[in-house]
């Protein structure tokens, strides 16, 4: 550990390998710790294959010891090594884990996953992967208010997108940078992202309530957040919530209450140019006002 803290992984590897190669084998617990530290030292030297073997042995020892906490830790290390080794599946899974962590508000977990991907991208000179990692990392940092850190990542992501002539990504990063150009803009981004995240959560909860036939619960979950989205001027979230609110009212036989919610959802969708969503909301509105009454533009 002292060698590693002094940035001398070679010395750490030498010390640990000598320990592990003694004629008298170590007890399972000290061997587990030694293998885990060895994996870290080998990874620092770029010896990913050896690091993976050491980690797998540490996991096996943790299982033998019934040490669930250590097993979980070494499994996380193994995932990191797979990413650093540029396994496509591991990288995709790291992005997925980061997105899920961010969606549930766990910024620390999301940032850890993305930092690992970024390290791998830099080590292997994968600028396309670097842009994706920096872009998502920047967005995650914005969610917890680290605007200056986020800006640095987003600027580099935009620079790479421009170099690769990825117009869509470049425009996306440019819009984000413009949004956070002022403190008010950064605050608004966080508020909009928070409402969007909670919209997904509420819709999942309300959907489960509706499947169970508890439409009053669904309405009580959806309506307050729909009003909050309206007050915060987050139209995409409001439209989605109003549409679901209308469905909950319809399924409970409250057509009169469903109509204004469906009409508002349709108005927003049309204003945003979201044709598919507008078509869906128009059908809900049709059911709300009656089968035989044509519903045109809201």
């Amino acid at each position: 550990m002292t060698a590693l803290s002094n940035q001398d992984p070679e010395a750490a590897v030498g010390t640990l390998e000598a320990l592990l190669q003694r004629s008298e084998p170590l007890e399972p617990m000290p061997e587990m710790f030694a293998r885990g530290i060895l994996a870290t030292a080998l990874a620092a030297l770029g010896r990913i294959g050896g690091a993976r073997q050491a980690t797998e042995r540490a996991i096996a020892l943790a299982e033998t010891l019934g040490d669930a906490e250590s097993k979980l830790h070494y499994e996380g290390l193994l995932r990191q090594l797979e990413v650093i080794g540029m396994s496509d599946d591991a990288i995709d899974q790291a992005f997925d884990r980061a997105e899920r962590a961010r969606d549930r508000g766990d910024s620390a977990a999301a940032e850890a996953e993305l930092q690992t991907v970024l390290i791998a991208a830099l080590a292997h000179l994968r600028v396309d992967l670097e842009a994706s990692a920096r872009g998502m990392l920047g967005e995650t940092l914005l969610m917890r208010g680290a605007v200056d850190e986020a800006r640095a990542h987003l600027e580099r992501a935009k620079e790479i997108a421009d170099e690769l002539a990825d117009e869509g990504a470049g425009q996306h990063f440019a819009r984000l940078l413009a949004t956070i150009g002022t403190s008010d803009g950064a605050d608004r981004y966080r508020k909009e992202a928070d409402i969007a995240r909670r919209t997904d959560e509420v819709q999942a909860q309300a959907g489960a309530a509706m499947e169970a036939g508890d439409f009053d619960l669904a309405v009580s979950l959806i309506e307050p957040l729909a009003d909050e989205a309206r007050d915060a001027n987050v139209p995409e979230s409001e439209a989605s919530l109003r549409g679901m609110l209308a469905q909950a009212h319809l399924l409970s036989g409250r057509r009169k209450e469903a109509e204004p919610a469906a009409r508002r959802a349709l108005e927003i969708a049309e204003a945003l140019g979201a044709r598919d969503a507008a078509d869906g909301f128009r059908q809900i509105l049709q059911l709300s006002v009656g089968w035989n009454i044509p519903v045109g533009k809201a």
Side-chain angles (χ1 to χ4, degrees):
M1 291 300 294
T2 301
L4 282 176
S5 66
N6 291 334
Q7 298 184 358
D8 190 358
E10 285 279 10
V13 169
T15 300
L16 291 164
E17 287 183 341
L19 177 66
L20 292 164
Q21 290 168 6
R22 293 191 316 173
S23 58
E24 183 179 345
L26 294 175
E27 292 294 320
M29 184 170 290
E31 183 187 350
M32 179 184 71
F33 290 137
R35 298 286 181 185
I37 300 169
L38 178 61
T40 301
L42 289 169
L45 294 170
R47 295 163 57 182
I48 304 303
R52 187 181 295 114
Q53 290 177 356
T55 306
E56 289 170 348
R57 174 61 179 162
I59 292 170
L61 288 164
E63 290 177 341
T64 299
L65 292 164
D67 187 341
E69 185 176 352
S70 292
K71 181 174 180 287
L72 189 65
H73 169 74
Y74 293 126
E75 285 174 342
L77 176 58
L78 186 60
R79 287 195 298 269
Q80 289 181 314
L81 291 171
E82 294 292 342
V83 171
I84 293 170
M86 296 303 287
S87 162
D88 289 340
D89 286 344
I91 290 169
D92 289 343
Q93 290 169 16
F95 276 122
D96 288 343
R97 288 193 299 271
E99 185 172 10
R100 290 196 298 271
R102 188 178 65 179
D103 289 346
R104 66 175 181 266
D106 189 349
S107 177
E111 289 170 35
E113 294 285 357
L114 293 168
Q115 287 285 5
T116 300
V117 176
L118 181 56
I119 289 169
L122 292 170
H124 292 269
L125 303 179
R126 282 282 305 277
V127 291
D128 56 333
L129 187 59
E130 179 189 348
S132 298
R134 287 190 186 279
M136 192 170 178
L137 183 56
E139 293 171 356
T140 304
L141 289 164
L142 284 176
M143 289 292 291
R144 67 171 176 84
V147 180
D148 291 337
E149 291 179 64
R151 183 181 293 108
H153 285 295
L154 292 170
E155 286 174 346
R156 175 57 182 156
K158 182 182 182 303
E159 181 181 310
I160 294 171
D162 291 343
E163 291 172 357
L164 297 176
D166 188 338
E167 186 174 342
Q171 291 176 349
H172 172 70
F173 296 135
R175 284 194 297 270
L176 274 178
L177 286 166
T179 298
I180 64 174
T182 64
S183 59
D184 289 345
D187 289 342
R188 175 165 177 74
Y189 175 87
R190 286 198 298 276
K191 181 178 289 187
E192 289 178 353
D194 178 63
I195 288 175
R197 177 183 62 79
R198 287 190 287 128
T199 293
D200 290 340
E201 291 177 354
V202 162
Q203 287 185 313
Q205 294 166 0
M210 290 164 68
E211 287 182 6
D214 194 341
F215 304 111
D216 288 341
L217 174 59
V219 168
S220 71
L221 290 167
I222 299 167
E223 198 162 33
L225 187 55
D227 291 343
E228 185 179 346
R230 177 201 61 206
D231 295 342
N233 190 27
V234 187
E236 296 88 348
S237 293
E238 185 190 354
S240 182
L241 290 163
R242 298 287 183 200
M244 193 172 193
L245 180 61
Q247 288 179 303
H249 281 309
L250 273 177
L251 289 170
S252 64
R254 297 190 291 262
R255 286 171 51 181
K256 185 176 180 180
E257 289 84 350
E259 180 183 347
R263 193 174 295 280
R264 174 60 179 161
L266 176 57
E267 289 173 352
I268 296 171
E270 288 187 334
L272 294 173
R275 294 182 180 179
D276 291 343
D279 288 342
F281 296 143
R282 191 173 291 108
Q283 291 175 11
I284 297 172
L285 181 57
Q286 179 73 70
L287 293 172
S288 302
V289 299
W291 288 96
N292 299 319
I293 302 174
V295 177
K297 299 294 184 182

